[in-house]
Amino acid sequence: MSGRAAGENWRSVDGSRRSWTMEIGKGWWSPPLKAGESVWPPQDWGTLRRLPTDPEKLILAIENRFGLRVRSLDDLGDEEWSQIHFSLAGLLKLVPVMPEGLRPAAYEALGMVPGVKTVPNQKDAKGRVGVAVTYDDPTLPKGSAGFGGYFVFDPVTYRFLGFRDIRTSGDGAARKTYTQLSYLDSWAVVDKVKQRP
């Protein structure tokens, strides 16, 4: 069984204003960030420009944002790598425009995470062919929700194309497995929430 649903998101560029998310015809507001709060991935250009464009340095910068002082990739354990995977995937998925060199660095850094694999010639929900990136998270038990999903990226531009995941619902005889697909159709910069480009 497979299903398809549309969604739209308006995100504040720096978190200072509330954001709007709409999925399957239902929407909700996200409050603005409070003083001293931050969000990952960063949206503002100044913060993005400060991120390293060397893949190894980018991994260390992501890990050190949690207040740790990691100096080498050898110091990272399974939990840290899991968080780095989540952070890099979020950066690539949620930030459509990045300073020069950051997107390829993030893509290469993602490839350095133990357990990450690439699968060429995979289609997103719109039929575009890209490279799928999968991750077997060692911090999750086998068969949990963390397995079976992958991100699809353009193999040349590294642009996020879509996501595919295998989901289950129900219990016992009513238990069904289905494929959840999503794709990024377009993005734009506007002046206010719900404004169309």
Side-chain angles (χ1 to χ4, degrees), residues 15 24 27 69-71 82 88 94 122 124 126-127 141 150 154:
I24 317 173
R69 289 293 158 240
V70 178
R71 295 187 177 149
S82 179
L88 287 167
L94 299 172
Q122 298 298 305
D124 70 359
K126 201 171 182 180
Y150 59 74
D154 184 287

Side-chain angles (χ1 to χ4, degrees), residues 10 190-196:
W10 283 265
V190 294
D191 293 324
K192 56 187 176 180
V193 171
K194 300 187 183 182
Q195 181 180 359
R196 301 270 173 200

Side-chain angles (χ1 to χ4, degrees), residues 45 73-74 84 99 113 115 160 178:
W45 199 253
L73 299 185
D74 295 334
I84 289 165
V113 175
F160 171 73
Y178 62 95

